[in-house]
Amino acid sequence: MRRVVVTGLGCISPLAYSAEKTWDRLIKGDSGIRSIDAFDTSDLPSKVAGFVRWERIGEGSAGENFDPSNIIPEKDQRKMDHFILYGLAAAVEAVRDAGWETPSEAEKERTGVLVGSGVGGLETICNTSITLHERGARRVNPFFIPACLINLAAGHIAIRYGFKGPNHAAATACSAGAHAIGDAFHLIRNNLADVIIAGGAEGAVCRLGVAGFAAVRALSTHFNDRPSEASRPWDAERDGFVVGEGAGILVLEELEHARRRGVPIYAEVIGYGLSGDAYHITSPASDGDGAYRAMKAALASAAITPQDVDYINAHGTSTPIGDKAELFGVQRLFGEKPKAWMSSTKSSIGHLLGASGAVEAVFCIKALCTGIVPPTLNLRTPPAENTMELVPCVAKERRLAVAMSNSFGFGGTNVSLVFRAFSR
């Protein structure tokens, strides 16, 4: 069986514009969750979000704020929803990091792109609907449809580089980015590609997005005056998730292919597990059975045991039901005194929906490379039934060999990924 490794990382997040800067702020305990100032929130019960800060900072700059003109001309940006811009920008970083910008024509045919999203071009759909209603059909942008289709993030990345291998998009709600990575892992392992750019992108911090999630009572509403405290996974005062946006992209590569190129290897992908709750359209089963089965399947895929896992990056959205269900599932699989530590990085950046699993995969890989476990911010009163180290408030050092990342979505779609520190 072919082995699959990670040779490139890219990330756009509410913390920063780059994987390295995002990681540095994450482990310092910084928060990217702020009061929403880009649109009117007077009639919205939730007024905070983890959003990407835009700033015209000049070509070649890479700071905490995002300047899309570094990636694509301004006239072409009007042809893309924000989620596509974020996905493309993260892919540019990851491809450059992997040194895969100018492969041969034959190599391009063995290079694929799989980028998922939960809701795709939601803001573009909303704004175009208003234009249609107020100004008529003739004023609808001819690029409206391709600007908001979920698969166009992968499409634009492939077009930019000429990558002609497998190309598709997962659309499994908040599991999409993780599913894309897992599917890419399977494609490479089964010799259908040698390199795949994989991950997730989301740009749903808009009035419609916040109003929609608020309508199903999924969002935090009690911390509007204290944005950085609003996302608090497992804490007794948690009251919902904080919507976020951004993108995470990995370059996955067949091991021998990477060795022949002589490029640095971050980690190895060793496991991928999937399950369905078959329970409810928005809520998980209270016993965490779906999470349990996805994690169990991922460990079986990796041919390891629960005792081999050192760190779990939890789905951990900060919802009362979801956090409890995931904790039940984890403790059922890992036992009363698990070796693994677990934290939720959504406490720092919010819930990036379809991008969350991919961004959190980046965090798992950085944890393996640095030996630093990122914190669960705002966790001051953990659940009484907890038996795990949840890394409250402050990052901790620990030697890590294996990390798991969990992602669960509306409709009961569950996925777990397993990464191992690379050893030749």
Side-chain angles (χ1 to χ4, degrees), residues 2 12 18-19 24 34 72 81 93 103 115 128 150 164 167 184 194 197 205 209 237 266 287 302 332 338 366-367:
R2 286 161 40 113
I12 306 295
S18 81
D24 287 345
R34 298 175 287 264
I72 194 164
D81 187 84
E93 180 187 6
V115 179
T128 303
I150 285 176
K164 298 179 180 179
N167 186 293
D194 295 323
I197 288 74
V205 180
E237 293 188 46
Y266 285 106
D287 61 359
R332 176 182 170 191
K366 294 295 287 184

Side-chain angles (χ1 to χ4, degrees), residues 121-142:
L122 191 64
E123 184 171 18
T124 296
I125 294 170
C126 180
N127 291 341
T128 303
S129 178
I130 293 171
T131 297
L132 176 64
H133 177 71
E134 295 182 349
R135 304 176 68 186
R138 292 182 180 274
R139 301 309 298 266
V140 171
N141 188 332

Side-chain angles (χ1 to χ4, degrees), residues 194-208:
D194 295 323
V195 179
I196 297 184
I197 288 74
E202 205 74 84
V205 180
C206 60
R207 267 182 61 79
L208 181 59

Side-chain angles (χ1 to χ4, degrees), residues 315-375:
H315 185 57
T317 62
S318 187
T319 61
I321 295 174
D323 287 6
K324 188 174 183 179
E326 182 176 11
L327 188 60
F328 281 167
V330 169
Q331 292 185 154
R332 176 182 170 191
L333 181 61
F334 286 83
E336 292 185 0
K337 296 182 179 180
K339 173 189 173 187
W341 291 3
M342 183 165 70
S343 68
S344 173
T345 47
K346 289 183 178 72
S347 59
S348 181
I349 60 174
H351 186 3
L352 274 59
L353 309 176
S356 61
V359 171
E360 289 154 15
V362 172
F363 295 160
C364 280
I365 292 164
K366 294 295 287 184
L368 289 171
C369 292
T370 63
I372 300 175
V373 178

